Amino acid sequence: MSQAQLKNDLDCDLAIVGGGIVGTTLAAALKASGLRILLIEAKTLEAAIARPQAYAISLLSGRILKGIGVWDKILPRINKFKHIDLSDADYPQTVQFETQDLKTDELGYVGEHGVILEELHRFLATCPNVEWLRPAQVTAVDYQEDGVEIAVEMNGETRKVRSRLLIGADGARSRIRSWAKIKTKGWKYWQSCVATQIKHSAPRNDIAFERFCDSGPMGVLPLPGNRVSIVWTAPHAEAKALQNLSEAEFIAKLEQRMNGALGKLELVRDPAGIRVAARACFPVQLMQSDCYVKPRMALVGDAAHCCHPVGGQGLNLGIRDAAALAQTLATAHQQGEDIGRLKVLKRYQSWRKRENWIILGFTDILDRTFSNNFLPIVAARRLGLWMLQNVRPLKIYALKLMTGLLGRKPVLSVNSD
Ligand SMILES: Cc1cc2nc3c(=O)[nH]c(=O)nc-3n(C[C@H](O)[C@H](O)[C@H](O)COP(=O)(O)OP(=O)(O)OC[C@H]3O[C@@H](n4cnc5c(N)ncnc54)[C@H](O)[C@@H]3O)c2cc1C
């Protein structure tokens, strides 16, 4: 997208700080709202797209992106999965989720950060109500009665932008959140996760695996081209050691952990034979902001909450926040309300905060009960696995929770069903 020229007197209705997937989804969802939107992003587009991460995308997120009108471009570039295989170390009772359980054509999708972000950018280029400032940093914010004044540093100059509402979509270490003095609850886990991509030789490439083990869970998500995205959680020192293993040692450990389910494994290389998938190591945390809104300000995505990567939920919660906030703001604007008023913003908070707590709690319980070798807990979770596989209502409830199909649905997703 060509960089919009900043006019000196630029005023907007909505200034979104953070042009990651959540911030851009919010802007895209407001295409037809009549609101003037300014997206402020610190990184260049090339740097943002180069993030080597892949995500499990839930059925609900797919429906939201379809409702926005960008899904038809994303879908051919990502992978679908039709089966989820959940297992606990070498315990023979596994849980197999199938498309028949939900009567859907797939159970979810796996897409790369760069692909999703690139298509959202292309879509935003068709939105006359959206302008970009990038690479640009927000350096100060001044909240006033009828709006907010934002200091933006760009090309070595600081400019002032006035907006009716400021959105913090600036990730887990949100400055918008800390400047607004919003406290958070949560904890850092004793684990980190190692993320990378691997090529495999198994004939099926539509199975998502969640392999639990007492050091931590490992998610294996199928990507196009017989590749898988690996998110391997382990205590910090073990995760660091996994990151530093030689290629052969890492592959051997992974083959052992997957018990042959993916056939022969090799690192992803470019056509010149150079390894392209780095092994990145991330600390893991649970965080929930005490509030998501203040007068003239709202938080979305990781700026508002973070969860353990088990079950691949974090980005999906953010996409749902974006759709819920877009709906709240568009409706308020249509009815002639001031979108920056606390009364309006609280409708978004009361919709999303409680629903996010449920998923944060679910991922925490999942990690704690499976990353554990205390015998009574091992016995209880194995009974739980048996029940999940054999008690149908429980199985369907768990699957609906993971695919985003429980809870209040944004209109965007309902219209696209
Ligand atoms: C290993 C791993 C695997 C994961 N797997 C999954 C998965 O399978 N499924 C899933 O749903 N989630 C997953 N997650 C979670 C997911 O990565 C996050 O929830 C998601 O990326 C959050 O998106 P966001 O847009 O809110 O924040 P971010 O992606 O952090 O984007 C924030 C943006 O704000 C910009 N920014 C920050 N500060 C400023 C500033 N002052 N001025 C201007 N711009 C600024 C940044 O440059 C960035 O572009 C995973 C996480 C990890 C670590």
Side-chain angles (χ1 to χ4, degrees):
M1 177 192 285
S2 66
Q3 174 89 41
Q5 287 298 307
L6 178 67
K7 299 177 216 94
N8 281 335
D9 60 349
L10 180 78
D11 270 348
C12 56
D13 297 308
L14 206 69
I16 303 174
V17 181
I21 294 177
V22 175
T24 48
T25 299
L26 173 61
L30 287 166
K31 179 178 182 174
S33 64
L35 293 165
R36 294 161 306 152
I37 300 167
L38 182 66
L39 265 161
I40 306 165
E41 167 54 46
K43 293 194 190 121
T44 61
L45 179 55
E46 295 69 32
I49 281 177
R51 191 196 287 187
Q53 210 170 325
Y55 311 106
I57 304 293
S58 70
L59 292 177
L60 182 77
S61 295
R63 288 175 193 177
I64 290 170
L65 294 167
K66 189 170 177 200
I68 288 174
V70 69
W71 191 236
D72 289 351
K73 298 282 185 218
I74 293 176
L75 194 56
R77 300 183 63 193
I78 65 174
N79 204 16
K80 297 173 182 176
F81 57 87
K82 294 174 184 280
H83 190 109
I84 301 172
D85 178 313
L86 202 147
S87 59
D88 181 14
D90 51 5
Y91 185 57
Q93 174 70 72
T94 61
V95 182
Q96 306 296 322
F97 294 104
E98 310 278 355
T99 46
Q100 298 91 286
D101 294 324
L102 282 186
K103 300 186 176 57
T104 49
D105 294 335
E106 56 268 332
L107 293 181
Y109 315 88
V110 187
E112 284 156 292
H113 181 85
V115 166
I116 301 167
L117 199 59
E118 193 173 40
E119 293 303 342
L120 279 162
H121 272 79
R122 287 208 178 111
F123 181 85
L124 288 178
T126 69
C127 302
N129 61 330
V130 178
E131 288 194 68
W132 279 94
L133 290 183
R134 79 181 311 164
Q137 284 268 1
V138 171
T139 53
V141 174
D142 179 18
Y143 292 100
Q144 298 160 355
E145 176 63 28
D146 59 344
V148 49
E149 195 172 81
I150 307 152
V152 184
E153 200 178 283
M154 191 177 161
N155 299 331
E157 272 179 55
T158 299
R159 299 156 191 248
K160 296 272 167 79
V161 175
R162 273 186 59 81
S163 177
R164 280 207 282 160
L165 174 63
L166 176 67
I167 306 294
D170 51 341
R173 285 189 271 171
S174 168
R175 293 171 92 180
I176 301 303
R177 184 185 67 231
S178 52
W179 285 337
K181 300 199 174 8
I182 295 177
K183 294 211 170 76
T184 61
K185 291 194 174 53
W187 45 80
K188 291 193 165 42
Y189 287 89
W190 62 99
Q191 297 157 320
S192 293
C193 62
V194 177
T196 192
Q197 285 182 22
I198 296 284
K199 229 173 151 44
H200 68 88
S201 67
R204 280 188 75 173
N205 194 36
D206 61 355
I207 306 175
F209 295 89
E210 194 70 67
R211 288 268 194 262
F212 290 100
C213 150
D214 56 22
S215 57
M218 182 169 80
V220 179
L221 303 170
L223 279 164
N226 260 41
R227 291 173 299 145
V228 282
S229 161
I230 308 278
V231 180
W232 190 335
T233 314
H236 298 305
E238 198 180 321
K240 209 73 209 136
L242 278 171
Q243 187 189 22
N244 293 329
L245 284 179
S246 71
E247 296 184 11
E249 287 168 328
F250 184 75
I251 295 272
K253 267 204 177 292
L254 192 56
E255 277 177 343
Q256 186 190 17
R257 184 82 181 260
M258 288 306 292
N259 217 0
L262 289 174
K264 193 170 149 24
L265 305 180
E266 57 177 292
L267 295 167
V268 177
R269 294 177 195 281
D270 70 8
I274 297 164
R275 179 165 73 104
V276 287
R279 239 177 278 150
C281 191
F282 303 90
V284 181
Q285 64 163 333
L286 180 145
M287 184 277 283
Q288 170 81 302
S289 299
D290 283 357
C291 63
Y292 290 4
V293 299
K294 287 216 161 172
R296 310 257 158 232
M297 198 256 356
L299 301 173
V300 284
D302 274 22
H305 47 74
C306 297
C307 63
H308 196 287
V310 64
Q313 295 292 324
L315 177 67
N316 291 299
L317 298 183
I319 290 174
R320 207 162 166 164
D321 291 346
L325 182 57
Q327 184 174 325
T328 308
L329 297 180
T331 309
H333 183 59
Q334 256 171 23
Q335 292 169 351
E337 289 181 280
D338 177 352
I339 58 165
R341 290 197 58 193
L342 193 58
K343 187 176 97 177
V344 170
L345 300 173
K346 278 192 166 170
R347 292 173 202 151
Y348 154 71
Q349 174 173 278
S350 58
W351 179 348
R352 291 301 303 142
K353 196 168 167 225
R354 198 184 59 85
E355 288 193 1
N356 286 335
W357 260 133
I358 294 171
I359 295 293
L360 263 53
F362 171 71
T363 55
D364 187 62
I365 290 170
L366 214 52
D367 184 54
R368 285 176 197 278
T369 44
F370 280 90
S371 308
N372 199 311
N373 53 15
F374 181 53
L375 271 178
I377 292 190
V378 174
R381 77 173 182 238
R382 291 189 167 176
L383 173 67
L385 278 184
W386 183 89
M387 287 171 66
L388 211 50
Q389 178 63 16
N390 296 292
V391 180
R392 202 160 166 73
L394 187 66
K395 189 180 193 189
I396 290 172
Y397 182 86
L399 197 49
K400 284 192 167 173
L401 187 67
M402 288 191 287
T403 52
L405 300 184
L406 289 182
R408 183 174 162 196
K409 312 241 179 0
V411 170
L412 271 173
S413 72
V414 177
N415 288 347
S416 75
D417 278 352

PDB file of all heavy atoms in Angstrom, residues 59-75 109 123 319 412-413 415-417:
ATOM      1  N   LEU A  59     -12.522 -21.650  13.396  1.00  0.00           N
ATOM      2  CA  LEU A  59     -13.647 -21.535  12.458  1.00  0.00           C
ATOM      3  C   LEU A  59     -14.281 -20.159  12.574  1.00  0.00           C
ATOM      4  O   LEU A  59     -14.617 -19.523  11.578  1.00  0.00           O
ATOM      5  CB  LEU A  59     -14.695 -22.616  12.755  1.00  0.00           C
ATOM      6  CG  LEU A  59     -14.290 -24.064  12.468  1.00  0.00           C
ATOM      7  CD1 LEU A  59     -15.417 -25.016  12.877  1.00  0.00           C
ATOM      8  CD2 LEU A  59     -13.941 -24.273  10.996  1.00  0.00           C
ATOM      9  N   LEU A  60     -14.431 -19.672  13.824  1.00  0.00           N
ATOM     10  CA  LEU A  60     -15.071 -18.360  14.001  1.00  0.00           C
ATOM     11  C   LEU A  60     -14.228 -17.250  13.361  1.00  0.00           C
ATOM     12  O   LEU A  60     -14.758 -16.370  12.678  1.00  0.00           O
ATOM     13  CB  LEU A  60     -15.307 -18.042  15.485  1.00  0.00           C
ATOM     14  CG  LEU A  60     -16.011 -16.703  15.663  1.00  0.00           C
ATOM     15  CD1 LEU A  60     -17.492 -16.814  15.357  1.00  0.00           C
ATOM     16  CD2 LEU A  60     -15.820 -16.135  17.051  1.00  0.00           C
ATOM     17  N   SER A  61     -12.898 -17.300  13.561  1.00  0.00           N
ATOM     18  CA  SER A  61     -12.046 -16.263  12.955  1.00  0.00           C
ATOM     19  C   SER A  61     -12.189 -16.293  11.440  1.00  0.00           C
ATOM     20  O   SER A  61     -12.244 -15.240  10.792  1.00  0.00           O
ATOM     21  CB  SER A  61     -10.575 -16.469  13.344  1.00  0.00           C
ATOM     22  OG  SER A  61     -10.406 -16.289  14.717  1.00  0.00           O
ATOM     23  N   GLY A  62     -12.244 -17.507  10.859  1.00  0.00           N
ATOM     24  CA  GLY A  62     -12.448 -17.632   9.410  1.00  0.00           C
ATOM     25  C   GLY A  62     -13.745 -16.956   8.988  1.00  0.00           C
ATOM     26  O   GLY A  62     -13.788 -16.235   7.990  1.00  0.00           O
ATOM     27  N   ARG A  63     -14.802 -17.168   9.787  1.00  0.00           N
ATOM     28  CA  ARG A  63     -16.105 -16.570   9.435  1.00  0.00           C
ATOM     29  C   ARG A  63     -16.058 -15.046   9.569  1.00  0.00           C
ATOM     30  O   ARG A  63     -16.671 -14.319   8.773  1.00  0.00           O
ATOM     31  CB  ARG A  63     -17.201 -17.147  10.332  1.00  0.00           C
ATOM     32  CG  ARG A  63     -17.500 -18.591   9.963  1.00  0.00           C
ATOM     33  CD  ARG A  63     -18.487 -19.235  10.889  1.00  0.00           C
ATOM     34  NE  ARG A  63     -18.490 -20.675  10.658  1.00  0.00           N
ATOM     35  CZ  ARG A  63     -19.206 -21.550  11.350  1.00  0.00           C
ATOM     36  NH1 ARG A  63     -19.996 -21.136  12.319  1.00  0.00           N
ATOM     37  NH2 ARG A  63     -19.142 -22.835  11.080  1.00  0.00           N
ATOM     38  N   ILE A  64     -15.344 -14.546  10.574  1.00  0.00           N
ATOM     39  CA  ILE A  64     -15.226 -13.082  10.732  1.00  0.00           C
ATOM     40  C   ILE A  64     -14.484 -12.503   9.520  1.00  0.00           C
ATOM     41  O   ILE A  64     -14.913 -11.517   8.915  1.00  0.00           O
ATOM     42  CB  ILE A  64     -14.490 -12.734  12.048  1.00  0.00           C
ATOM     43  CG1 ILE A  64     -15.377 -13.080  13.252  1.00  0.00           C
ATOM     44  CG2 ILE A  64     -14.051 -11.275  12.077  1.00  0.00           C
ATOM     45  CD1 ILE A  64     -14.681 -13.008  14.604  1.00  0.00           C
ATOM     46  N   LEU A  65     -13.364 -13.150   9.151  1.00  0.00           N
ATOM     47  CA  LEU A  65     -12.577 -12.631   8.020  1.00  0.00           C
ATOM     48  C   LEU A  65     -13.378 -12.748   6.713  1.00  0.00           C
ATOM     49  O   LEU A  65     -13.254 -11.919   5.819  1.00  0.00           O
ATOM     50  CB  LEU A  65     -11.232 -13.359   7.932  1.00  0.00           C
ATOM     51  CG  LEU A  65     -10.302 -13.074   9.131  1.00  0.00           C
ATOM     52  CD1 LEU A  65      -9.129 -14.041   9.167  1.00  0.00           C
ATOM     53  CD2 LEU A  65      -9.780 -11.631   9.113  1.00  0.00           C
ATOM     54  N   LYS A  66     -14.239 -13.760   6.648  1.00  0.00           N
ATOM     55  CA  LYS A  66     -15.120 -13.891   5.472  1.00  0.00           C
ATOM     56  C   LYS A  66     -16.138 -12.748   5.460  1.00  0.00           C
ATOM     57  O   LYS A  66     -16.395 -12.125   4.423  1.00  0.00           O
ATOM     58  CB  LYS A  66     -15.832 -15.238   5.517  1.00  0.00           C
ATOM     59  CG  LYS A  66     -16.584 -15.541   4.252  1.00  0.00           C
ATOM     60  CD  LYS A  66     -17.066 -16.968   4.224  1.00  0.00           C
ATOM     61  CE  LYS A  66     -17.881 -17.187   2.957  1.00  0.00           C
ATOM     62  NZ  LYS A  66     -18.753 -18.345   3.068  1.00  0.00           N
ATOM     63  N   GLY A  67     -16.707 -12.463   6.619  1.00  0.00           N
ATOM     64  CA  GLY A  67     -17.682 -11.370   6.724  1.00  0.00           C
ATOM     65  C   GLY A  67     -17.062 -10.034   6.350  1.00  0.00           C
ATOM     66  O   GLY A  67     -17.721  -9.160   5.768  1.00  0.00           O
ATOM     67  N   ILE A  68     -15.768  -9.878   6.648  1.00  0.00           N
ATOM     68  CA  ILE A  68     -15.075  -8.627   6.288  1.00  0.00           C
ATOM     69  C   ILE A  68     -14.881  -8.556   4.774  1.00  0.00           C
ATOM     70  O   ILE A  68     -14.904  -7.475   4.185  1.00  0.00           O
ATOM     71  CB  ILE A  68     -13.705  -8.566   7.032  1.00  0.00           C
ATOM     72  CG1 ILE A  68     -13.937  -8.304   8.525  1.00  0.00           C
ATOM     73  CG2 ILE A  68     -12.772  -7.530   6.427  1.00  0.00           C
ATOM     74  CD1 ILE A  68     -12.689  -8.375   9.381  1.00  0.00           C
ATOM     75  N   GLY A  69     -14.689  -9.747   4.144  1.00  0.00           N
ATOM     76  CA  GLY A  69     -14.507  -9.771   2.687  1.00  0.00           C
ATOM     77  C   GLY A  69     -13.078 -10.073   2.268  1.00  0.00           C
ATOM     78  O   GLY A  69     -12.730  -9.907   1.095  1.00  0.00           O
ATOM     79  N   VAL A  70     -12.248 -10.551   3.210  1.00  0.00           N
ATOM     80  CA  VAL A  70     -10.842 -10.794   2.881  1.00  0.00           C
ATOM     81  C   VAL A  70     -10.514 -12.295   2.830  1.00  0.00           C
ATOM     82  O   VAL A  70      -9.462 -12.700   2.345  1.00  0.00           O
ATOM     83  CB  VAL A  70      -9.942 -10.050   3.914  1.00  0.00           C
ATOM     84  CG1 VAL A  70     -10.030 -10.671   5.296  1.00  0.00           C
ATOM     85  CG2 VAL A  70      -8.512  -9.959   3.474  1.00  0.00           C
ATOM     86  N   TRP A  71     -11.454 -13.121   3.284  1.00  0.00           N
ATOM     87  CA  TRP A  71     -11.174 -14.558   3.459  1.00  0.00           C
ATOM     88  C   TRP A  71     -10.914 -15.267   2.127  1.00  0.00           C
ATOM     89  O   TRP A  71     -10.075 -16.162   2.039  1.00  0.00           O
ATOM     90  CB  TRP A  71     -12.353 -15.196   4.202  1.00  0.00           C
ATOM     91  CG  TRP A  71     -12.145 -16.593   4.685  1.00  0.00           C
ATOM     92  CD1 TRP A  71     -12.930 -17.667   4.393  1.00  0.00           C
ATOM     93  CD2 TRP A  71     -11.126 -17.087   5.574  1.00  0.00           C
ATOM     94  NE1 TRP A  71     -12.464 -18.784   5.042  1.00  0.00           N
ATOM     95  CE2 TRP A  71     -11.355 -18.460   5.766  1.00  0.00           C
ATOM     96  CE3 TRP A  71     -10.034 -16.501   6.205  1.00  0.00           C
ATOM     97  CZ2 TRP A  71     -10.544 -19.257   6.575  1.00  0.00           C
ATOM     98  CZ3 TRP A  71      -9.213 -17.294   7.014  1.00  0.00           C
ATOM     99  CH2 TRP A  71      -9.472 -18.638   7.189  1.00  0.00           C
ATOM    100  N   ASP A  72     -11.636 -14.866   1.082  1.00  0.00           N
ATOM    101  CA  ASP A  72     -11.466 -15.537  -0.215  1.00  0.00           C
ATOM    102  C   ASP A  72     -10.047 -15.389  -0.741  1.00  0.00           C
ATOM    103  O   ASP A  72      -9.601 -16.185  -1.567  1.00  0.00           O
ATOM    104  CB  ASP A  72     -12.452 -14.954  -1.242  1.00  0.00           C
ATOM    105  CG  ASP A  72     -13.874 -15.396  -0.919  1.00  0.00           C
ATOM    106  OD1 ASP A  72     -14.023 -16.266  -0.038  1.00  0.00           O
ATOM    107  OD2 ASP A  72     -14.814 -14.847  -1.521  1.00  0.00           O
ATOM    108  N   LYS A  73      -9.354 -14.344  -0.309  1.00  0.00           N
ATOM    109  CA  LYS A  73      -7.955 -14.154  -0.728  1.00  0.00           C
ATOM    110  C   LYS A  73      -7.013 -14.930   0.199  1.00  0.00           C
ATOM    111  O   LYS A  73      -5.973 -15.423  -0.233  1.00  0.00           O
ATOM    112  CB  LYS A  73      -7.579 -12.657  -0.670  1.00  0.00           C
ATOM    113  CG  LYS A  73      -8.383 -11.798  -1.600  1.00  0.00           C
ATOM    114  CD  LYS A  73      -7.868 -11.933  -3.012  1.00  0.00           C
ATOM    115  CE  LYS A  73      -8.601 -10.983  -3.932  1.00  0.00           C
ATOM    116  NZ  LYS A  73      -8.884 -11.528  -5.232  1.00  0.00           N
ATOM    117  N   ILE A  74      -7.375 -15.026   1.480  1.00  0.00           N
ATOM    118  CA  ILE A  74      -6.498 -15.712   2.443  1.00  0.00           C
ATOM    119  C   ILE A  74      -6.577 -17.229   2.267  1.00  0.00           C
ATOM    120  O   ILE A  74      -5.545 -17.923   2.244  1.00  0.00           O
ATOM    121  CB  ILE A  74      -6.879 -15.321   3.901  1.00  0.00           C
ATOM    122  CG1 ILE A  74      -6.577 -13.836   4.154  1.00  0.00           C
ATOM    123  CG2 ILE A  74      -6.154 -16.199   4.922  1.00  0.00           C
ATOM    124  CD1 ILE A  74      -7.003 -13.333   5.538  1.00  0.00           C
ATOM    125  N   LEU A  75      -7.793 -17.745   2.133  1.00  0.00           N
ATOM    126  CA  LEU A  75      -8.019 -19.198   2.153  1.00  0.00           C
ATOM    127  C   LEU A  75      -7.145 -19.991   1.169  1.00  0.00           C
ATOM    128  O   LEU A  75      -6.572 -21.006   1.556  1.00  0.00           O
ATOM    129  CB  LEU A  75      -9.515 -19.485   1.937  1.00  0.00           C
ATOM    130  CG  LEU A  75      -9.963 -20.912   2.251  1.00  0.00           C
ATOM    131  CD1 LEU A  75      -9.622 -21.328   3.670  1.00  0.00           C
ATOM    132  CD2 LEU A  75     -11.474 -21.043   2.026  1.00  0.00           C
ATOM    133  N   TYR A 109      -7.992 -23.863  10.545  1.00  0.00           N
ATOM    134  CA  TYR A 109      -7.061 -23.502   9.477  1.00  0.00           C
ATOM    135  C   TYR A 109      -5.702 -23.209  10.103  1.00  0.00           C
ATOM    136  O   TYR A 109      -5.610 -22.902  11.294  1.00  0.00           O
ATOM    137  CB  TYR A 109      -7.541 -22.240   8.745  1.00  0.00           C
ATOM    138  CG  TYR A 109      -9.022 -22.284   8.425  1.00  0.00           C
ATOM    139  CD1 TYR A 109      -9.969 -21.827   9.353  1.00  0.00           C
ATOM    140  CD2 TYR A 109      -9.475 -22.821   7.224  1.00  0.00           C
ATOM    141  CE1 TYR A 109     -11.335 -21.896   9.071  1.00  0.00           C
ATOM    142  CE2 TYR A 109     -10.830 -22.885   6.940  1.00  0.00           C
ATOM    143  CZ  TYR A 109     -11.755 -22.420   7.865  1.00  0.00           C
ATOM    144  OH  TYR A 109     -13.088 -22.492   7.596  1.00  0.00           O
ATOM    145  N   PHE A 123      -6.481  -5.555   1.302  1.00  0.00           N
ATOM    146  CA  PHE A 123      -7.887  -5.191   1.496  1.00  0.00           C
ATOM    147  C   PHE A 123      -7.990  -3.729   1.950  1.00  0.00           C
ATOM    148  O   PHE A 123      -8.819  -2.969   1.455  1.00  0.00           O
ATOM    149  CB  PHE A 123      -8.528  -6.125   2.530  1.00  0.00           C
ATOM    150  CG  PHE A 123      -9.972  -5.843   2.761  1.00  0.00           C
ATOM    151  CD1 PHE A 123     -10.942  -6.384   1.931  1.00  0.00           C
ATOM    152  CD2 PHE A 123     -10.390  -5.012   3.798  1.00  0.00           C
ATOM    153  CE1 PHE A 123     -12.291  -6.108   2.130  1.00  0.00           C
ATOM    154  CE2 PHE A 123     -11.727  -4.729   4.005  1.00  0.00           C
ATOM    155  CZ  PHE A 123     -12.684  -5.282   3.168  1.00  0.00           C
ATOM    156  N   ILE A 319      -8.880 -11.420  17.169  1.00  0.00           N
ATOM    157  CA  ILE A 319      -9.732 -11.210  15.979  1.00  0.00           C
ATOM    158  C   ILE A 319     -11.183 -11.031  16.436  1.00  0.00           C
ATOM    159  O   ILE A 319     -11.931 -10.196  15.925  1.00  0.00           O
ATOM    160  CB  ILE A 319      -9.571 -12.395  14.994  1.00  0.00           C
ATOM    161  CG1 ILE A 319      -8.170 -12.350  14.371  1.00  0.00           C
ATOM    162  CG2 ILE A 319     -10.654 -12.377  13.912  1.00  0.00           C
ATOM    163  CD1 ILE A 319      -7.817 -13.533  13.480  1.00  0.00           C
ATOM    164  N   LEU A 412     -20.681  -9.877  11.932  1.00  0.00           N
ATOM    165  CA  LEU A 412     -19.863 -10.174  10.752  1.00  0.00           C
ATOM    166  C   LEU A 412     -19.760 -11.665  10.496  1.00  0.00           C
ATOM    167  O   LEU A 412     -19.795 -12.124   9.365  1.00  0.00           O
ATOM    168  CB  LEU A 412     -18.438  -9.650  10.990  1.00  0.00           C
ATOM    169  CG  LEU A 412     -18.119  -8.228  10.601  1.00  0.00           C
ATOM    170  CD1 LEU A 412     -16.725  -7.865  11.063  1.00  0.00           C
ATOM    171  CD2 LEU A 412     -18.237  -8.046   9.089  1.00  0.00           C
ATOM    172  N   SER A 413     -19.598 -12.462  11.579  1.00  0.00           N
ATOM    173  CA  SER A 413     -19.426 -13.907  11.417  1.00  0.00           C
ATOM    174  C   SER A 413     -20.755 -14.572  11.107  1.00  0.00           C
ATOM    175  O   SER A 413     -20.823 -15.534  10.347  1.00  0.00           O
ATOM    176  CB  SER A 413     -18.834 -14.518  12.671  1.00  0.00           C
ATOM    177  OG  SER A 413     -19.787 -14.527  13.717  1.00  0.00           O
ATOM    178  N   ASN A 415     -23.337 -13.293   9.476  1.00  0.00           N
ATOM    179  CA  ASN A 415     -23.734 -13.012   8.094  1.00  0.00           C
ATOM    180  C   ASN A 415     -22.970 -13.854   7.086  1.00  0.00           C
ATOM    181  O   ASN A 415     -23.417 -14.048   5.971  1.00  0.00           O
ATOM    182  CB  ASN A 415     -23.506 -11.530   7.774  1.00  0.00           C
ATOM    183  CG  ASN A 415     -24.539 -10.686   8.503  1.00  0.00           C
ATOM    184  OD1 ASN A 415     -25.511 -11.214   9.006  1.00  0.00           O
ATOM    185  ND2 ASN A 415     -24.303  -9.390   8.562  1.00  0.00           N
ATOM    186  N   SER A 416     -21.775 -14.327   7.491  1.00  0.00           N
ATOM    187  CA  SER A 416     -20.964 -15.063   6.522  1.00  0.00           C
ATOM    188  C   SER A 416     -21.167 -16.566   6.609  1.00  0.00           C
ATOM    189  O   SER A 416     -20.533 -17.314   5.899  1.00  0.00           O
ATOM    190  CB  SER A 416     -19.484 -14.745   6.738  1.00  0.00           C
ATOM    191  OG  SER A 416     -19.015 -15.409   7.880  1.00  0.00           O
ATOM    192  N   ASP A 417     -22.033 -17.058   7.527  1.00  0.00           N
ATOM    193  CA  ASP A 417     -22.253 -18.510   7.679  1.00  0.00           C
ATOM    194  C   ASP A 417     -22.806 -19.127   6.404  1.00  0.00           C
ATOM    195  O   ASP A 417     -23.536 -18.500   5.680  1.00  0.00           O
ATOM    196  CB  ASP A 417     -23.252 -18.779   8.820  1.00  0.00           C
ATOM    197  CG  ASP A 417     -22.534 -18.728  10.170  1.00  0.00           C
ATOM    198  OD1 ASP A 417     -21.306 -18.641  10.174  1.00  0.00           O
ATOM    199  OD2 ASP A 417     -23.246 -18.750  11.192  1.00  0.00           O
TER     200      ASP A 417
END
